[in-house]
C-alpha cells in the first residue's frame, strides 16, 4: 500500500501555505497514515512526506495545531517504518524535541 497523499507541506521563503490550508492538509495526511498497516505499507512512498514533516517550517510553526498535527504524523511515519526511520539522526533529535514541546503545550490546554 502506497501513500496517496500528494500535497506540498513545505514552501519557499515569502510564499507560506495559509495556516487553514496547511491544517487541512495535515489532517488528511494524519488520517491516511493512521489507516495504513505497517505490514503492507510501501515505506519508500513515505520518504518525501517524512522529509517535509521534519522541516523547520512545520516543527516550529506559529500555530500549535500545525505543530501538533506534525508531531502526530511524525509518530505515525516512525511506527509504519519501524525499525528503519526515514529520518537522519539529527532530524529525529529535532523532531522529538519539537514534538515534546508541541504535545506539552497541547496538554496544557486540557
Amino acid at each position: 500500500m502506497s501513500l496517496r497523499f500528494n500535497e506540498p507541506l513545505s514552501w519557499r521563503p515569502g510564499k507560506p501555505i495559509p495556516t487553514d490550508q496547511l491544517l487541512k492538509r495535515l489532517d488528511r495526511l494524519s488520517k491516511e497514515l493512521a489507516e495504513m498497516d505497517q505490514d503492507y505499507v510501501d515505506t519508500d512512498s513515505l520518504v518525501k512526506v517524512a522529509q517535509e514533516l521534519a522541516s523547520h517550517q512545520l516543527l516550529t510553526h506559529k500555530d500549535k495545531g500545525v505543530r501538533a498535527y506534525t508531531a502526530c504524523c511524525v509518530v505515525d511515519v516512525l511506527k509504519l517504518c519501524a525499525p528503519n526511520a526515514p529520518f537522519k539522526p539529527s532530524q529525529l533529535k529535532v523532531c522529538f524535541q519539537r514534538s515534546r514541546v508541541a504535545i506539552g503545550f497541547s496538554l496544557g490546554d486540557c
Side-chain angles (χ1 to χ4, degrees), residues 21-100:
Q21 197 173 26
L22 191 54
L23 285 167
K24 288 176 186 171
R25 290 178 188 183
L26 287 165
D27 179 51
R28 283 192 294 274
L29 175 61
S30 177
K31 287 177 180 170
E32 185 175 350
L33 290 171
E35 292 175 2
M36 296 181 101
D37 186 327
Q38 183 183 16
D39 294 331
Y40 302 105
V41 69
D42 172 14
T43 56
D44 291 337
S45 72
L46 303 176
V47 172
K48 181 179 180 271
V49 77
Q51 294 307 305
E52 287 188 298
L53 290 168
S55 75
H56 181 75
Q57 294 169 326
L58 292 178
L59 294 172
T60 62
H61 198 278
K62 64 181 180 184
D63 185 84
K64 66 181 176 184
V66 169
R67 293 190 311 267
Y69 267 123
T70 300
C72 290
C73 290
V74 165
V75 169
D76 280 334
V77 168
L78 287 170
K79 176 189 76 167
L80 291 167
C81 294
N84 303 311
F87 301 103
K88 297 174 189 167
S90 60
Q91 290 175 314
L92 275 175
K93 181 180 178 181
V94 172
C95 284
F96 282 124
Q97 288 171 336
R98 290 295 168 186
S99 296
R100 191 180 74 222

